[in-house]
């Protein structure tokens, strides 16, 4: 039994997994643009340029890619949970066509002022996925376009990449997910080198 366990460790079976957590609106898809206000239906879901390829490249270097999204519109009654599910099924299916995988979509359906643990800047969505999939959060990344995304990542112990102009807490800032993904992959490999 002891020998078996040593073999398991040597083969890396017990290695904690690495993940990238992505905010949805403004990172993967358009929101508050000319052609779309909020995304309540699949036909309002427009991928931002390069987002699909960026997720595919992250799949090549990480065990998991997740979406963690605040959807307070449900709590406020603007959208039904079933509709949100349709939007997410559409997103995942369209990505699959491009060879990109989202392993799970977590969302907070509560009202913005409900004071729940899951709505970002709180970190429960990230922590729960971390536990479920045995993620090494210190070697994982949160990407978002609001300061609350960055705060949620930092609270959970991930590195955090901001999509936009500037953020005081972020480890890096880029204008889009494509460039963020390139940096994340470089940063991951730099960290791996340091360990050797
Ligand atoms: Mg966003
Ligand atoms: Zn919540």
């Amino acid at each position: 039994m002891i020998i078996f366990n040593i073999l398991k460790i040597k083969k890396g079976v017990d290695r904690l997994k690495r993940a990238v957590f992505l905010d949805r609106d403004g990172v993967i898809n358009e929101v508050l643009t000319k052609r779309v206000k909020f995304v309540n239906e699949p036909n309002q879901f427009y991928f931002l340029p390069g987002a699909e390829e960026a997720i595919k490249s992250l799949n090549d270097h990480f065990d998991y890619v997740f979406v963690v999204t605040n959807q307070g519109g449900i709590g406020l009654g603007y959208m039904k949970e079933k509709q949100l599910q349709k939007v997410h099924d559409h997103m995942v299916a369209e990505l699959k066509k491009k060879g990109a995988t989202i392993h799970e979509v977590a969302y907070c359906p509560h009202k913005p002022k409900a004071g729940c643990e899951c709505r970002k800047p709180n970190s429960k969505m990230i922590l729960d996925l971390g536990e479920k999939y045995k993620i090494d959060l210190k070697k994982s990344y949160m990407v978002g376009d609001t300061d609350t995304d960055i705060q949620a990542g930092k609270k959970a112990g991930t590195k955090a990449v901001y999509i936009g102009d500037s953020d005081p807490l972020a480890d890096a800032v880029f204008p889009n997910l494509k460039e963020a993904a390139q940096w994340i992959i470089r940063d991951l490999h730099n960290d791996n080198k340091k360990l050797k």
Side-chain angles (χ1 to χ4, degrees), residues 101-142:
T101 304
I102 297 291
H103 294 89
E104 188 164 332
V105 180
Y107 59 89
C108 164
H110 306 114
K111 277 183 199 165
K113 287 180 181 161
C116 66
E117 293 290 305
C118 36
R119 187 178 170 84
K120 298 172 284 184
N122 292 328
S123 56
K124 192 170 189 295
M125 288 193 285
I126 300 172
L127 293 175
D128 285 354
L129 287 167
E131 203 171 304
K132 180 173 173 186
Y133 291 88
K134 302 197 170 16
I135 308 291
D136 186 347
L137 292 171
K138 286 198 294 294
K139 291 197 174 67
S140 297
Y141 297 80
M142 172 72 209

Side-chain angles (χ1 to χ4, degrees), residues 110-195:
H110 306 114
K111 277 183 199 165
K113 287 180 181 161
C116 66
E117 293 290 305
C118 36
R119 187 178 170 84
K120 298 172 284 184
N122 292 328
S123 56
K124 192 170 189 295
M125 288 193 285
I126 300 172
L127 293 175
D128 285 354
L129 287 167
E131 203 171 304
K132 180 173 173 186
Y133 291 88
K134 302 197 170 16
I135 308 291
D136 186 347
L137 292 171
K138 286 198 294 294
K139 291 197 174 67
S140 297
Y141 297 80
M142 172 72 209
V143 183
D145 68 326
T146 64
D147 54 355
T148 51
D149 295 315
I150 303 306
Q151 288 161 16
K154 286 286 166 182
K155 267 188 209 169
T158 70
K159 293 193 184 182
V161 182
Y162 182 71
I163 305 291
D165 292 331
S166 74
D167 183 274
L169 276 182
D171 295 284
V173 177
F174 293 99
N176 53 54
L177 181 56
K178 189 184 168 190
E179 288 177 50
Q182 289 167 349
W183 179 86
I184 287 169
I185 291 163
R186 280 201 309 275
D187 190 64
L188 176 77
H189 291 305
N190 286 341
D191 267 7
N192 285 346
K193 268 184 225 151
K194 270 183 234 155
L195 289 175

Side-chain angles (χ1 to χ4, degrees), residues 23-29 31 69 120 143-146 148-149:
D23 172 47
R24 196 194 81 182
D25 298 323
V27 172
I28 298 174
N29 59 277
V31 69
T69 176
K120 298 172 284 184
V143 183
D145 68 326
T146 64
T148 51
D149 295 315

